[in-house]
Amino acid sequence: MATLVDQTILIVGASSGIGAQVARDLAGHGNRVVVVARRAAELAAVAADVRAAGSACLDLVADALDPAAAAAVVARVVAEFGAVDVALLNVGQGPDMAMAEVGVEDVARVMALNYDVTVHYLVPLIAQLRRQGGGLIAQTNSLAGLMGIPRQGPYSAAKAAVRTLIDAARVELAPEGIRFTSLYPGFVATARAGADGLPKPFRISEKQAARHVVRALRREPADAAFPWTTSALVRVLRAAPVSVSGPVLRKLAR
Ligand SMILES: NC(=O)c1ccc[n+]([C@@H]2O[C@H](COP(=O)([O-])OP(=O)(O)OC[C@H]3O[C@@H](n4cnc5c(N)ncnc54)[C@H](OP(=O)(O)O)[C@@H]3O)[C@@H](O)[C@H]2O)c1
């Protein structure tokens, strides 16, 4: 189990929600924290809290949709702190999208907002972690990435694509000391998620979600699903025949 003491920790998607709370929770303990997002003011507020808790903190404004910007962030962290010990790739968004109403471009956009943004960091991080002899890459997936959720089809598909990519990377890169942890939250009461009008059974708070994430960063399981209620529901629905899971999912999505 890693101690998360005296580590350089990069959190991409740290200006609000789960990522911001994880940054605050990891501050102190000799950790150096790098927070990245697009909204400069929100990011600066998180960085100020991290510094107040005693950590060196870089706040970098960068759009994860731009692969060059992502590579530059990784290079900047290494220039400043020498290595990346832990990276949390947390950028993602799951808008309410019914398949009867989406356009082709909507599906492509959700794929970019969840899959491309992860790949843009994954590639330069793997190169850096190979150079430095290992490290941990964690990614905030979703329980929606484990099965097709009604009104979240494009999001489920994008998160499932990230999941399988990271599953392959984990197996390939274990001999080089590169570890991967995929995080599968259920519904979390973040400001952005609260605005979409989707039903959210077994919703947990940002603070609860961040505690699950920090525990997973310490223990480094391949997969960490939480809370157990939503996780168990998804496991049961995946195992059930569609004649059973279909009506339940339709009812939950109403
Ligand atoms: N909330 C839930 O119910 C829930 C459930 C399961 C999984 N998740 C996953 O948890 C992760 C965090 O979501 P959250 O609910 O905490 O939402 P959030 O508050 O919207 O957090 C997303 C973070 O990513 C940043 N971001 C978004 N697009 C970006 C881009 N193109 N470039 C750089 N940064 C970008 C946002 O900051 P800026 O806008 O400032 O760039 C923000 O800091 C996501 O991957 C989401 O899919 C959430």
Side-chain angles (χ1 to χ4, degrees), residues 12-20 36-40 42 62-65 89-94 113-114 117 121 139-144 155 159 184-193 200 206:
V12 186
S15 60
S16 62
I18 301 168
V36 187
R38 294 164 304 176
R39 288 170 296 169
E42 285 79 353
D63 189 343
L65 286 167
L89 305 184
N90 179 65
V91 174
Q93 216 175 306
L113 290 174
N114 291 280
V117 293
Y121 276 92
Q139 191 266 333
T140 314
N141 205 290
S142 168
L143 285 173
Y155 177 66
K159 290 292 199 187
Y184 298 92
F187 295 110
V188 182
T190 56
R192 217 171 251 170
K200 299 191 174 56
E206 277 175 12

